[in-house]
Amino acid sequence: QWMFKPLTQTVKQVEHTTAEKQQKLHDVAAKMANAKDIAAEVDELKKALAFCENKLPAEKEYNQVFDEISNLAVKNGLTSKSVRLLKVVQGQDYSEQPIKLVFSGSFQNGFYPFLAQVERLQRLTRIDEMKITADDKTPGAANVEMILTIYFDAARKVAVAQ
């Protein structure tokens, strides 16, 4: 009996050590699975960021976006009464070019379709303020004042052909 007692203690110690190592192995496996999930999330976030960056024109390309908006207004029969560039707002990762626009024309057949088309543009824009008043002289017509913001990437410069 005195020979089995040290052997029993050794077996218990080995079983305890084995259980600890199995728990550590389980913990490492769980962390690795979590790391795979994080890697997938990072990939999704990179894709989302690339999507947003593609919607941000380079610093001087925002003029093209403005031209698109102007063409949409003309296409929808709106008459531009005033266009004024406001002060650029610098952000950490992007900049904003607010533009004050004053239009007149048919609300139903001009302004409403114009807004729907601006909303579908491939670039990021936002309408900050809008004031719509009925044109007393023309039934169904409206005068619209709005501030439209075009977002752009100030860090990206446009390549210049040489």
Side-chain angles (χ1 to χ4, degrees), residues 29-155:
K31 287 178 182 176
M32 287 178 62
N34 191 24
K36 288 179 184 176
D37 292 344
I38 290 172
E41 277 187 52
V42 168
D43 285 343
E44 288 300 315
L45 290 172
K46 283 181 180 178
K47 288 176 186 174
L49 182 61
F51 177 77
C52 288
E53 285 176 343
N54 286 336
K55 289 185 169 270
L56 286 177
E59 182 174 9
K60 294 300 178 189
E61 288 177 348
Y62 75 82
N63 287 327
Q64 293 172 349
V65 178
F66 176 69
D67 288 344
E68 275 184 78
I69 291 167
S70 296
N71 290 338
L72 288 175
V74 170
K75 177 181 158 190
N76 287 289
L78 298 175
T79 303
S80 177
K81 292 185 173 186
S82 171
V83 176
R84 194 172 89 217
L85 295 176
L86 304 177
K87 184 179 178 190
V88 172
V89 178
Q90 300 288 335
Q92 183 176 348
D93 297 321
Y94 61 89
S95 295
E96 303 175 26
Q97 174 61 70
I99 304 166
K100 183 172 184 177
L101 303 166
V102 180
F103 295 114
S104 65
S106 168
F107 181 81
Q108 185 175 8
N109 298 322
F111 188 67
Y112 183 77
F114 166 77
L115 281 180
Q117 291 165 359
V118 167
E119 186 178 61
R120 288 190 300 267
L121 285 175
Q122 292 298 311
R123 300 296 189 172
L124 293 176
T125 59
R126 180 182 75 214
I127 296 175
D128 294 309
E129 295 176 24
M130 186 169 16
K131 179 181 173 186
I132 303 171
T133 55
D135 186 342
D136 296 331
K137 299 173 188 165
T138 311
N143 296 310
V144 179
E145 276 185 46
M146 61 189 278
I147 296 179
L148 177 77
T149 299
I150 299 172
Y151 293 89
F152 64 94
D153 186 352

